[in-house]
């Protein structure tokens, strides 16, 4: 008989106990709370020079619905099914899965989804997060078809880039058309992209429409809608017993311009509106005070100081620590008009100077 030396016997016994314990954990499962989790998977396929991920989210539980607390897609993506507040049905096969299809440009090489879900089992509140990352299909997603990329700016301009398919067998001849006018044309080799071409916006402020053709066939069309971050500045007016304050907050993608504020009494003030910043002008309060904004020769609706009440000259007043609703409401009627007009005139004048 072969005898295991005592010096080896104890470590083997410990290892054996660990294996038995692990097997028991696998067979018997963990505690009910640890079993709850969303099951996130994704499958990638190439589609017309882009690629898509079909995301699926399943419930680990077969007897209890959950709900999604948050769903984070990278790159950002809005889903009508996999989203915060959606019910995560108890698992009953394929029909119980939540699904969403995300389309990505071939310049993006991977995508991910993280889902946080919640269950209430008896008196237990259970929350668990799980995610998955999917890579672009091996070898990338090539196509013989042309593609056109459009990018809007706040000046009403559209930048156009035309690409030829990597598997194309000949050069791509293209024409960029605005209305009935041919504004540019060129040739792109297989697997290459054109130099960016900037289509000027319309001077009347209407959105420009761009069509890209190849041999009279439309390969791309776009109407200006503005960049994702928005363009129109926000204007806030506040009347206190001492001042009329006007603030302009410009979005990060907004235009930079100057506004002159001319009061009915006192000296005008010029505000330089910069991207991503808030600028403020203040005028001493007085009965009948109005301030007229203007951009160049274009005048906007006047803004009037509204007495917030309790502003007697001889009566000491406490500092104002919050916005006076009545005072703000008094100027609110013209704010939307002023805000839209500031953006419109600034954009229009910007185009005139750069055309």
């Amino acid at each position: 008989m072969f005898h295991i030396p005592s010096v080896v016997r104890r470590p083997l016994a410990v290892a054996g106990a660990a294996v038995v314990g692990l097997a028991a954990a696998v067979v018997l499962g963990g505690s009910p709370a640890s079993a709850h989790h969303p099951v996130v998977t994704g499958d990638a396929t190439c589609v017309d020079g882009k690629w898509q991920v079909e995301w699926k989210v399943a419930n680990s539980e077969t007897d209890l619905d959950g709900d999604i607390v948050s769903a984070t897609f990278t790159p950002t993506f809005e889903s009508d099914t996999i989203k915060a507040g959606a019910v995560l049905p108890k698992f009953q096969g394929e029909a119980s899965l939540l699904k969403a299809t995300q389309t990505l440009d071939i310049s993006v090489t991977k995508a991910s989804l993280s889902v946080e879900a919640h269950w209430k089992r008896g008196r237990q509140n259970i929350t668990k997060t799980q995610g998955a990352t999917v890579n672009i299909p091996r070898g990338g997603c090539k196509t013989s078809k042309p593609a056109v990329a459009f990018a809007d700016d706040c000046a009403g301009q559209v930048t156009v880039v035309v690409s030829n398919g990597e598997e194309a067998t000949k050069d791509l001849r293209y024409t960029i058309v605005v209305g009935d006018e041919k504004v540019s044309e060129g040739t792109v080799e297989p697997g290459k992209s054109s130099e960016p071409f900037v289509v000027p916006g319309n001077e009347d402020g209407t959105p420009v429409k761009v069509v890209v053709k190849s041999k009279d066939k439309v390969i791309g069309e776009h109407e200006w809608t503005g960049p994702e971050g928005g363009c129109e500045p926000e204007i806030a007016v506040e009347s206190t017993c001492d001042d009329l304050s006007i603030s302009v907050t410009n979005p990060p993608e907004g235009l930079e311009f100057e506004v002159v504020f001319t009061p009915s009494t006192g000296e005008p003030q010029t505000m330089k509106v910069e991207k991503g910043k808030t600028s403020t002008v203040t005028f001493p309060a007085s009965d009948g005070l109005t301030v007229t904004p203007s951009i160049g020769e274009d005048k906007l609706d006047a803004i009037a100081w509204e007495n917030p009440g309790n502003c007697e000259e001889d009566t000491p007043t406490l500092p104002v620590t919050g916005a006076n609703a009545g005072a703000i409401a008094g100027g609110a009627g013209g704010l939307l008009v002023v805000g839209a007009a500031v953006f419109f005139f600034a954009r229009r004048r910007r185009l005139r100077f750069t055309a």
Side-chain angles (χ1 to χ4, degrees), residues 235 259 291-295 298-302 337-339 341-342 345:
I235 298 182
V259 186
V291 177
T292 301
S294 60
I295 302 174
D298 298 308
K299 292 186 177 181
L300 312 181
D301 291 347
V337 175
V338 172
V342 166
F345 286 124

Side-chain angles (χ1 to χ4, degrees), residues 213-231:
K213 297 181 179 181
S214 178
K215 295 182 178 179
D216 294 326
K217 180 181 178 181
V218 175
I219 60 174
E221 53 186 333
H222 175 76
E223 180 175 347
W224 184 92
T225 57
E228 185 177 340
C231 292

